[in-house]
Amino acid sequence: MNNDNIRRTCPIGLIFGQQVAKYVKENYIDKLLSLNKRRRYNIALNKLKENYLVDTQELYLLSELKSQIFKYISDNEEQFDNIEVYLDSVSKLFDKDLNSLELDEDMKKVQYMLFYFAYGLGEKV
């Protein structure tokens, strides 16, 4: 959405809270061997946690997307033991749904990581 009249008040990262963001950072991003990827994903995570604001309608969209992705993960848990397989698969199916939020590619990947780890931590579907 590129409408300046919409009031964006809530950081997108709050859909799961700081605990999930911290878990993603410590258990995946910080363990990446590629310095370039580690840096890019940390920057994207910080944007999602602190700087990227969404409005109520966009939070609703994320909530709906969360339900769809959690169902997708649940239906394919055996395939998704490897997060890279999950990231490739979920990107192909759901990138179009995140386009309205104007996220860059790294922010989309990190958002998918948040969904993945929130699911694994027992977040409610």
Side-chain angles (χ1 to χ4, degrees):
M1 293 184 141
N2 200 4
N3 185 345
D4 293 333
N5 296 329
I6 294 175
R7 188 173 160 167
R8 295 170 184 251
T9 58
C10 181
I12 193 172
L14 291 183
I15 192 170
F16 294 119
Q18 297 298 324
Q19 177 188 2
V20 174
K22 182 180 177 188
Y23 190 87
V24 168
K25 180 175 175 30
E26 291 175 353
N27 292 285
Y28 181 72
I29 295 174
D30 287 348
K31 293 182 179 184
L32 290 169
L33 296 178
S34 167
L35 178 63
N36 179 278
K37 260 189 176 178
R38 196 167 51 242
R39 177 177 165 67
R40 288 188 356 246
Y41 289 164
N42 272 310
I43 289 169
L45 179 62
N46 288 334
K47 285 180 188 177
L48 290 172
K49 284 186 346 188
E50 299 163 9
N51 302 329
Y52 192 84
L53 301 180
V54 293
D55 64 26
T56 305
Q57 183 179 357
E58 291 164 330
L59 276 177
Y60 178 76
L61 173 107
L62 277 173
S63 181
E64 290 295 310
L65 188 60
K66 172 187 161 188
S67 296
Q68 292 173 24
I69 290 176
F70 275 20
K71 180 172 178 3
Y72 182 66
I73 295 170
S74 176
D75 292 345
N76 297 283
E77 277 185 4
E78 296 299 319
Q79 295 175 322
F80 296 152
D81 284 343
N82 180 327
I83 189 171
E84 297 299 329
V85 172
Y86 159 78
L87 289 172
D88 289 340
S89 179
V90 78
S91 291
K92 291 174 188 169
L93 290 174
F94 295 102
D95 269 2
K96 66 186 176 312
D97 296 317
L98 286 179
N99 286 342
S100 65
L101 297 177
E102 300 174 0
L103 302 177
D104 65 34
E105 291 306 310
D106 289 337
M107 290 170 72
K108 286 179 187 177
K109 288 278 191 197
V110 171
Q111 187 62 55
Y112 294 138
M113 289 174 207
L114 291 169
F115 286 127
Y116 181 86
F117 286 105
Y119 179 88
L121 289 169
E123 178 87 16
K124 292 182 182 178
V125 177

